[in-house]
Amino acid sequence: MEIFFSEFFTKLSTVVLLLRYLLGYAFIPSGMKKILGEKFTSIGLDNPVGFFFEGLYRSGYYWNFLGWGQLVAAFLLMTQRFSTLGNLIFFFIVTNICAITVFMHFQGTWLITSLMLFASFCLLLWDFHKLQFLFQKDNFNAKLSFQDLPTYNLSWEISGLLLFILSVLESLITVPGVKVTTQFICFAAVAILIVLTTLFIEWKRDKKSKHV
């Protein structure tokens, strides 16, 4: 039974690590648009959604501030080391975004934002052993016990940094004569290669440790 749970948590931790990358990436394109002072949508002012985003866009520095908030959350999530802090920021931002899409009747978008909110909540549950002290009374004595559970390491940290840089460059660079779809496919291929390389390195390390 102990071996079963050990293997289960090992596989689950890999899903958690990849989910952090995925959620972090989801914030980068929209965040970069706001930082660069670009409009997020081309919907007209006659539509309530378009009118809402136009108001945010014309707010100026607040529009940039929203973008920086998203970018910081994405970066912290993708570092793995500071992912708990990044997910806390992400959770409150995506809760606000989800509420907007639901109450303003976005077609289809509310489903995506709801899934992002659910994924962020699952990551909070995964890190509850870190957050549980927030619910304790003042001046309590904590008895800490460290378990040999799988977690991130240097390989995942480097991978996250590379993916973050790659995602930011994707939003900044426009190759002349190359279609947006083609460029996205190229960036996605490199991102997948980085993740697969990291998974292979971890598989080799795990295999080696079992034979020691």
Side-chain angles (χ1 to χ4, degrees):
M1 184 65 69
E2 184 177 347
I3 297 176
F4 168 78
F5 280 108
S6 177
E7 293 181 353
F8 172 76
F9 278 109
T10 299
K11 294 179 180 179
L12 187 59
S13 66
T14 302
V15 175
V16 168
L17 293 168
L18 296 177
L19 185 59
R20 290 169 179 166
Y21 288 155
L22 185 61
L23 290 183
Y25 172 76
F27 262 12
I28 293 177
S30 59
M32 288 301 298
K33 278 185 174 294
K34 296 180 181 71
I35 291 173
L36 297 173
E38 299 177 359
K39 290 187 176 183
F40 182 71
T41 179
S42 58
I43 301 176
L45 296 178
D46 56 328
N47 187 292
V49 175
F51 186 80
F52 174 79
F53 277 109
E54 182 66 21
L56 287 177
Y57 170 71
R58 294 188 183 185
S59 66
Y61 288 120
Y62 179 66
W63 184 247
N64 303 135
F65 171 76
L66 293 175
W68 280 111
Q70 288 182 288
L71 195 67
V72 169
F75 173 74
L76 293 174
L77 263 172
M78 298 175 81
T79 61
Q80 301 293 351
R81 179 178 292 274
F82 306 107
S83 59
T84 305
L85 177 59
N87 187 43
L88 281 172
I89 300 173
F90 183 96
F91 180 79
F92 291 110
I93 294 176
V94 82
T95 299
N96 184 52
I97 295 174
C98 184
I100 291 172
T101 57
V102 171
F103 298 143
M104 296 196 67
H105 308 290
F106 282 50
Q107 294 183 353
T109 311
W110 68 270
L111 179 59
I112 298 174
T113 56
S114 297
L115 290 174
M116 292 172 65
L117 179 60
F118 175 73
S120 180
F121 179 74
C122 289
L123 290 182
L124 288 178
L125 292 179
W126 176 264
D127 288 334
F128 183 73
H129 61 287
K130 300 178 183 178
L131 303 173
Q132 60 177 317
F133 304 110
L134 298 174
F135 304 97
Q136 300 289 345
K137 294 181 179 180
D138 293 339
N139 303 318
F140 74 97
N141 292 321
K143 295 181 179 180
L144 302 178
S145 60
F146 297 93
Q147 300 179 358
D148 188 21
L149 295 177
T151 182
Y152 66 86
N153 52 34
L154 185 60
S155 299
W156 288 108
E157 291 177 341
I158 294 175
S159 178
L161 181 60
L162 291 175
L163 288 172
F164 177 79
I165 294 174
L166 182 69
S167 302
V168 172
L169 290 177
E170 179 192 356
S171 301
L172 291 175
I173 298 175
T174 301
V175 182
V178 178
K179 294 182 179 179
V180 177
T181 305
T182 304
Q183 182 173 312
F184 172 77
I185 292 174
C186 293
F187 274 101
V190 176
I192 292 173
L193 180 62
I194 292 173
V195 172
L196 290 178
T197 301
T198 306
L199 288 172
F200 178 75
I201 292 173
E202 291 305 304
W203 175 76
K204 291 285 289 185
R205 180 181 289 130
D206 183 60
K207 187 177 180 181
K208 184 178 180 180
S209 63
K210 289 182 179 179
H211 285 80
V212 173

